[in-house]
Amino acid sequence: MIGSGIAGLVSALLLAARGLEVTVIERAATPGGKMRQVRVGGVSMDAGPTVFTMRWIFDEILAAAGTSLESMLRLQPLGILARHAWGPQTRLDLHADTRRSAEAIGDFAGAAEAHRFLEFCAEAKRVYRTLEGPYIRAPRPSLSSMTSALGIRGVGVLAGLGPFQSLWRTLSRHFRDPRLQQLFGRYATYCGSSPFLAPATLVLVAQVEMDGVWAVEGGMHAVAQAFAARAAQAGATFRYGAECAEILESHGRAIGARLGDGSVIEADSVVFNGDVAALAAGRMGPSATRSVAPPDPAGRSLSALVWSINGHTRGFPLVRHNVFFDEDYASEFRDIFAHHRLPRRATVYVCAQDRLDDDRPPGDAERLLCLVNAPAIGDRAPLDPEELQRCETASFSLMARYGLTIDRSADNTLLTTPAEFERLFPATGGGLYGQASHGWMASFRRAESLSRLPGLYLAGGSAHPGPGVPMAAMSGRLAAEALMAHLDSTSRSQRAVTSGGTSTP
């Protein structure tokens, strides 16, 4: 396994549970990939994904491995999904209870908008239920295969949605209040995309959240640690601080990996857990370069500026997840995707990692992740310091105008830029979600589990079914199933397996 992000960890666990010999190579000191932690102001905090959703995926994976989520992690369901702000006194909470959300929207924007919200939720549920089997669970979906699997009823659901339309246009049909369009348009950013370019089918994210959002005791990094520990118990071997320099090929088939120190790990199969851009760019050697279609750098997903802060806060009543909107939403995505620059008027997301639904300050310094979307240009010239300072000043000034003051200093703050994400995840430019989901065909352009190089399997957010922790976990499951199907079809003995990915942490 080259790389131990959640996709690689899932593959390693499932393959080891089936009795295969699995070796995981990871250049970082700990598992997790993008589910990483940093140490700031003397404390550790999540610096990647912050939301645990689609629990059913993890329940099914762990059941297949003979264990359960309850035995590995402690989860706390959130009653408040997120708190959204457009001004010092203009706030709206979305709740796990749909009726409570409708009541809150009624108080915020009027009874008609509350009714439209319930209709929106009903459509989101129909779309999600329609696509779960033919797309999310399917190993190799294509337009023709998915149309066949959907049947007349499923095609009708998508036709009613207007699948060729953008998410933004669909939201404009559902809601009259532009603030609600902003709020639900944010779902496109969950897969690194613009709501003005992403397909309408992303309304299904509303159903994902209504099915439950959890906080994980110990943070999201604890998910990676728990999966790594269970995979090790099943027999997988982990080699940290081991960087893959090349995926090896013989007679047209992947046969192992050469590490940075020159040593070789032989394998019957390789699972690559990383961004396919690293393969196409030759980061894993010439044989792997031909294993995938090269992604277009112009189609990269969002990167980010991430401030990890261990500081005191005042004023705004933070909950676990908080979003501060600027009124000019469209300019943010024009700046990023059209002009390839930091947004001048950005939305700011804040995860208060020491809070749940209780908005009372913890009484001491608290761990905060503050995020602003950014272009994936980390492999180009460094960001202009003046541009970076303008973006930072505008972002923290926006929060201050809405009532939130954060005590920051050089000692309690760590900034991660697209350049640092490029270093962590090579050949991506710092893009955190693979290719952006722009246009209705984008979902069918993602790499599938089977690469063009026999014996090399793909898992991660740049592969099907897409980015985000649960989708990446599903990709790890699909890669393991594809590998096992090959072994079963050839009746080969269960020999060594190197689960592969990029040389990313």
Side-chain angles (χ1 to χ4, degrees):
M1 186 69 62
I2 306 168
S4 64
I6 187 61
L9 294 171
V10 165
S11 286
L13 172 59
L14 292 175
L15 294 172
R18 290 287 298 271
L20 276 70
E21 183 181 346
V22 178
T23 299
V24 182
I25 57 176
E26 169 58 64
R27 76 171 183 173
T30 59
K34 294 185 178 74
M35 287 198 300
R36 64 194 189 100
Q37 281 192 331
V38 296
R39 194 160 180 84
V40 182
V43 300
S44 296
M45 63 182 74
D46 283 341
T50 59
V51 180
F52 190 95
T53 58
M54 301 183 80
R55 177 175 174 163
W56 65 267
I57 290 178
F58 300 94
D59 286 333
E60 289 186 2
I61 288 169
L62 293 172
T67 185
S68 68
L69 197 58
E70 290 81 2
S71 69
M72 293 170 50
L73 294 164
R74 294 187 63 182
L75 305 179
Q76 174 67 46
L78 296 178
I80 300 176
L81 302 180
R83 178 159 291 167
H84 309 83
W86 291 264
Q89 301 299 326
T90 308
R91 302 172 191 151
L92 173 63
D93 289 352
L94 281 190
H95 300 266
D97 184 330
T98 303
R99 289 291 170 182
R100 287 197 64 188
S101 290
E103 292 171 1
I105 289 172
D107 293 339
F108 179 79
E113 289 291 70
H115 178 71
R116 294 186 188 105
F117 167 72
L118 293 175
E119 291 181 333
F120 170 73
C121 290
E123 181 167 61
K125 185 174 183 177
R126 288 193 298 271
V127 172
Y128 177 85
R129 301 301 182 221
T130 298
L131 293 178
E132 181 187 304
Y135 182 76
I136 294 175
R137 293 178 180 270
R140 294 184 297 277
S142 65
L143 182 59
S144 59
S145 68
M146 198 174 80
T147 301
S148 176
L150 286 172
I152 295 176
R153 183 175 181 179
V155 170
V157 169
L158 296 188
L161 174 68
F164 307 122
Q165 296 181 358
S166 69
L167 175 63
W168 189 261
R169 184 169 180 180
T170 294
L171 293 173
S172 299
R173 173 171 58 84
H174 275 288
F175 300 106
R176 305 295 177 267
D177 192 315
R179 297 170 300 180
L180 297 179
Q181 296 166 16
Q182 273 187 306
L183 190 161
F184 296 108
R186 185 165 171 77
Y187 289 157
T189 66
Y190 292 13
C191 59
S193 306
S194 163
F196 300 93
L197 300 171
T201 48
L202 287 182
V203 298
L204 63 80
V205 178
Q207 182 60 40
V208 168
E209 290 196 332
M210 286 185 286
D211 283 341
V213 175
W214 289 265
V216 182
E217 185 175 297
M220 290 296 290
H221 186 64
V223 178
Q225 292 175 318
F227 268 82
R230 194 53 57 96
Q233 291 174 8
T237 299
F238 285 80
R239 295 181 59 178
Y240 297 107
E243 182 168 3
C244 178
E246 183 182 2
I247 293 173
L248 302 176
E249 173 195 0
S250 179
H251 302 293
R253 181 175 178 82
I255 59 164
R258 178 178 289 112
L259 305 187
D261 63 6
S263 62
V264 171
I265 301 177
E266 296 180 351
D268 288 332
S269 301
V270 178
V271 180
F272 176 77
N273 172 213
D275 201 294
V276 298
L279 292 174
R283 301 296 182 94
M284 297 293 109
S287 298
T289 301
R290 302 187 297 273
S291 67
V292 295
D296 182 2
R300 288 172 176 169
S301 64
L302 292 169
S303 186
L305 298 178
V306 177
W307 291 271
S308 301
I309 305 170
N310 180 37
H312 293 86
T313 64
R314 298 184 300 278
F316 190 92
L318 294 169
V319 290
R320 184 76 168 200
H321 302 292
N322 311 268
V323 184
F324 298 83
F325 286 108
D326 183 273
E327 61 182 12
D328 189 355
Y329 203 43
S331 71
E332 175 179 351
F333 298 98
R334 281 197 304 270
D335 281 343
I336 293 172
F337 286 109
H339 302 298
H340 308 291
R341 66 189 180 201
L342 294 177
R344 302 182 182 189
R345 305 182 67 172
T347 302
V348 184
Y349 164 71
V350 177
C351 177
Q353 298 180 30
D354 296 305
R355 305 194 191 208
L356 296 173
D357 295 334
D358 189 350
D359 57 19
R360 291 175 298 178
D364 201 350
E366 57 181 314
R367 299 173 300 164
L368 305 171
L369 180 148
C370 302
L371 181 148
V372 167
N373 294 321
I377 54 174
D379 53 349
R380 304 180 189 176
L383 289 172
D384 180 347
E386 292 186 3
E387 181 184 358
L388 177 58
Q389 185 59 56
R390 281 196 299 269
C391 182
E392 180 171 345
T393 298
S395 300
F396 283 88
S397 295
L398 175 72
M399 290 186 284
R401 290 199 306 273
Y402 292 5
L404 177 62
T405 300
I406 304 173
D407 291 337
R408 294 188 298 142
S409 69
D411 294 331
N412 75 350
T413 304
L414 174 67
L415 171 62
T416 306
T417 68
E420 176 64 8
F421 286 124
E422 159 68 18
R423 186 190 70 79
L424 293 169
F425 313 110
T428 65
L432 299 175
Y433 311 86
Q435 294 293 96
S437 298
H438 290 163
W440 67 277
M441 282 294 293
S443 297
F444 303 111
R445 290 195 290 266
R446 293 191 178 275
E448 60 186 64
S449 302
L450 296 168
S451 79
R452 295 174 178 175
L453 176 63
L456 176 60
Y457 301 85
L458 308 178
S462 65
H464 172 74
V469 174
M471 292 293 94
M474 178 63 81
S475 80
R477 177 183 181 177
L478 293 173
E481 290 174 348
L483 191 156
M484 290 302 305
H486 172 76
L487 292 180
D488 291 342
S489 68
T490 57
S491 300
R492 299 181 62 182
S493 60
Q494 296 179 354
R495 297 172 56 198
V497 175
T498 301
S499 303
T502 71
S503 58
T504 64

